[in-house]
Amino acid sequence: MSRASTRDARPFSLAAEPRRFLSRDDCEALAQRVIGFARGGGETLLSITSEWTGELRWARNRATVAGDRRGNVIRITRAIDGARAQVSTNQTDDETLAAAVRAAERLLRLGRTVPTDFPDPPVPHEYPATHIWSEPTYAQGADIRAAAARALVEPAERAGMLSAGYLGVMARGSALVGTNSGPAMYTPQTFAECSMTVRDPKGTGSGWAGLSSYDWGRIDAPALAARALEKCLASRNPVAIEPGRYTLIMEPQATFALARLVVGSLDRITEEEKQLGPFAAGIDPFTGLRTTKLGRKVLDARITIEHDPMDPDLGVVPFTLENGGIQPYRRATWVDHGVLTKLAYDRGYALHQRMENEGFPNSGSFRMSGGDSSMEEMIRTTRRGLLVTRFSNVVVLDWNSVLATGVTRDGLWLIENGKISRPVKNLRFTESPMFAFNAIEQLGPPERVYSPEAPAIVPAVKVRDFSFTSTVDAI
Amino acid sequence: MTIDRRDFLRHATRVAALGAIFPRSMLPRLVRVPPPAGWSVAVDPDPAALAATAVDAARGAGAAYADVRLTFRQWRGFGWPPSELEEMGMGARALVNGYWGFASTPYWTPDEAARVGREAVAQAKANALGTQRVVELGTIPRVSGGEWSSPMQVDPFALAPGEVADWMDGLRGWASELGGGLGINWTVGFVKERRTFASSEGSTWGQTFHTTSASVGVDYKERRWGLDFLGPAQGGWEIVQRAPVRDGIRRIKEAIDEDVALPEKPVEVGRYAVLFDVGAMAALLAQTIGYATELDRALGYEANAGGTSYLNDPLAMLGSYRAGAPALTVTANRGEPGALATVRWDDEGVAPESFTLVKDGVLADFQTTRESAAWLAPWYEKTGRPARSHGCASAPSALDLTMQHTPNLALQPGAGDADFDALLAGMPDGLAIRQVRPEMDQQHSSGVGLNTSNSVYEVKRGKRVAVVKGAGMLFRATDLWRNLTALAGAKSLRWLPAGQSEKGEPSQTTPYSLGVVPGVFKDITIVDIMRKA
């Protein structure tokens, strides 16, 4: 795995204008001040996230608000002799920071000492170079968003429909600095997202389209507007059908709602609860260690699920700051041609269950392999089935089987004899992705979906016997 | 915003577990420390002056209307590790040609105040190039230098922190002597928030809110039940200190003993008469009428976020739509002492009034703000009332845009004085459900009710005879409330925290409370929630 140090200067220019979020220099200087305020020895650790958001919401074909928001979270942890206390502030002035350190030290004196389970891991100095900064995205102004939104609303309004949506860009600096962790770790990143819902004014049809990326330039907003409108028009006046088992064609956004549950199960085994997830096999009676399904076939052989922080189409921060510690994300193939090959876990699990010093964090970002079936081909080869745009309000009923329930939203169509025959009313499903992804008929090419915080690339999927359990009136 | 509840609970669990391993005498001795003051405002800026600066800047830049909020929130949590959080925010909102702009910053300086005032106008103006949009704010009484504080008797921020930990350790020690392996799991958190407001109409106010939230869970015989009277609620440490916590724990132990003595049986799918206890009633009310009567949601303003509402044609439905049985009356207020959405003035400077959302089963009103109240003008005109905001404007902090959020909601109790036990005794057969977690569709029109823990009982001849495993409910919001047959009396009224009112993109949440009584419903569809088609 090739690695580049992000401590080097990056092609990143926070313009000379008043900064909208804290830069690397700001974070380093702030941390040195905080460390200087500490009294009584021990360790001081800071994690800093600082962000700016430029955004626009619209509804009923008019902008409802445009905004510029800025914020910081500066978390200071003081640890002395196994006792640990944490304070958090969004201020950067000396008075506040000194007072914050005093507050943490006061909390330490509460004496709630808990013997440290294990010493902190050595802080790695190298991280993958990830593709998450886009200068034009950071430079996007309110005027650009306003003009873009007017253009996105226009086709819907012309068709007599109602458009509502959100268009936002964000820039964030994430830093970690500590007395024991060497020089500051800092990563700047940008986010962009655009999504919209077009509804028939009578409320009989609804269409949605959306996309997110670190780079606004990679979002074709007019195409999204056209798609949401088209879906709205085609979904009007749906008829009710019986719940039951259907062959189901999921557009990538729908596949994503299920695939993320599989990916979310990868570190379930580290939980302290009974529900260790679908990849736990039991407890070894002799060692007391948790056994897993690693090496076993868990999904259809056509499915590979990977995580690569350097994937230019995914774009994630190269490390996690969870629980005040820092760990780099690493490349992983979680599922290789259907076989479970890697699990994610925290450091406690690594030490106690795997005799390793470091955890293996899961960023939630992933790429799922696909196939070469086009949407048209999937429809043409379906005698009777359903086509769904996306799922909404998905909740897991049982983590061990990943049985989940949720509803279809923004376009559900009946397919009969290889053709879309009519829009149908939404349905509630009760199904597990572990079942659905073992009943795959066809796969489309993987594509980026709307998933602002943890980017994902997934294909359209056609599955057999997908379980719908009740009808839903909502449109 | 930074310390999520799950972390908080997880840390708390760890502390509790250690308490169980080490006898109390081995726990470190607590040192009394002097109470800290808020530490973020060491320089003591004047929020009223900053608000005025921002309002002036917005007016100067061309705002037809502007309002500015400053919030200073302090949070203190007792768990592992112990933690404190302070967050400052200043946010300006400006209206230009019917378009809103918003800007916020964490920094309380005169320069930043002027910047956010101007920036809010710049944001609004970018959109004002489009087709004219009409916003009618109406006129509201001016609040001049208003000052209010939520009632609080024992200031948690003036307590020696050791006092809270001592209190909880004492409780755990006492509980361990109850025997049977009973254990206690606890977390405590306090919030103190100061809000300052100024508008271009000359209204100014300052309000201070105190919130206490304690969670005491009883682990006993493989069940974990929690006390439900320790908040979150507005108030200070007295909420915990004066609550009958030990009685509550004893009652839970007895209830679990009774519970485990009952036989268990698998769910039989069908239609049942169901008696819901207060926890289930609060969840059902919040997820149905609570969401559906948000006017912006009903009119499609949240279509791209959480969704719309089954009450989707407000002007046609008001005064005629049967939202429930005649026994159903739901009122809303932001004045209930201790309730989480209670304020003297809302985040637009409106003094909220109590209002009725559903009257004798018929839809009577919606939750509104200054802007949205005007959307119902024809209805108010018809009923001879002014189109005036109900004061539902709110935001998590000044860093976030003001939106319409759910006020406190109250279910009007039944006429008699029946309580849960009396309603149970009056049931020939059916089910009794303590807790339910409703999961809804995007219009909150239908949902499934998930059974959380062991909380569904079979009832025969007025008595609980079995614990029903795996039962869930399938319901349509309107049918559910139309099937309401009886409500407990006013003596059974309980105010419970509702969870959160969730809105917007990106999503923001504000808390509110629900006043509820147990209720009996007919023809509730009970399903095996884990069963596929």
Side-chain angles (χ1 to χ4, degrees), chain A residues 130-355:
Chain A
T130 58
H131 302 261
I132 47 177
W133 181 262
S134 152
E135 195 66 33
T137 302
Y138 185 55
Q140 187 198 73
D143 50 340
I144 295 176
R145 285 187 289 282
R150 282 196 292 274
L152 299 177
V153 163
E154 199 272 331
E157 189 168 21
R158 193 154 24 95
M161 301 294 118
L162 294 174
S163 175
Y166 178 79
L167 195 171
V169 295
M170 189 209 270
R172 178 190 290 163
S174 308
L176 186 100
V177 199
T179 40
N180 283 4
S181 59
M185 186 61 226
Y186 181 86
T187 297
Q189 65 185 133
T190 49
F191 297 95
E193 63 171 289
C194 180
S195 65
M196 71 209 75
T197 301
V198 177
R199 291 175 66 81
D200 172 34
K202 294 194 196 103
T204 71
S206 183
W208 177 92
L211 208 51
S212 55
S213 170
Y214 74 95
D215 181 0
W216 170 246
R218 293 160 68 108
I219 296 175
D220 183 352
L224 296 177
R227 194 148 155 242
L229 173 60
E230 185 192 346
K231 281 185 173 291
C232 167
L233 296 175
S235 71
R236 285 180 296 173
N237 304 311
V239 295
I241 56 166
E242 284 296 312
R245 291 195 179 234
Y246 285 86
T247 292
L248 178 68
I249 300 173
M250 293 182 267
E251 290 193 1
Q253 195 68 41
T255 307
F256 170 65
L258 297 185
R260 71 188 301 198
L261 302 180
V262 176
V263 172
S265 300
L266 288 165
D267 43 8
R268 192 83 210 166
I269 193 150
T270 65
E271 292 284 323
E272 288 165 19
E273 312 169 22
K274 286 178 191 162
Q275 298 234 319
L276 296 177
F279 304 129
I283 307 275
D284 185 298
F286 298 107
T287 63
L289 299 180
R290 291 174 186 177
T291 58
T292 71
K293 293 184 185 165
L294 282 166
R296 292 196 215 169
K297 187 170 170 301
V298 292
L299 299 176
D300 184 285
R302 284 168 287 180
I303 291 186
T304 294
I305 301 176
E306 299 166 287
H307 171 260
D308 182 354
M310 282 173 295
D311 189 329
D313 290 326
L314 288 177
V316 293
V317 177
F319 55 84
T320 167
L321 295 177
E322 256 169 45
N323 300 325
I326 181 165
Q327 289 186 80
Y329 287 124
R330 279 168 292 185
R331 187 175 172 174
T333 301
W334 307 117
V335 175
D336 190 356
H337 293 89
V339 175
L340 182 69
T341 46
K342 183 74 195 162
L343 287 173
Y345 43 87
D346 58 18
R347 187 153 181 266
Y349 184 87
L351 285 161
H352 295 304
Q353 301 280 328
R354 295 178 59 91
M355 319 307 155

Side-chain angles (χ1 to χ4, degrees), chain A residues 73 90-91 112 197 431 473, chain B residues 2 88 106 169 304 476 532:
Chain A
V73 178
N90 62 355
Q91 300 299 297
R112 304 247 113 197
T197 301
E431 188 55 276
D473 291 333
Chain B
T2 51
M88 295 167 76
D169 283 343
N304 194 52
R476 286 194 163 86
K532 302 210 289 189

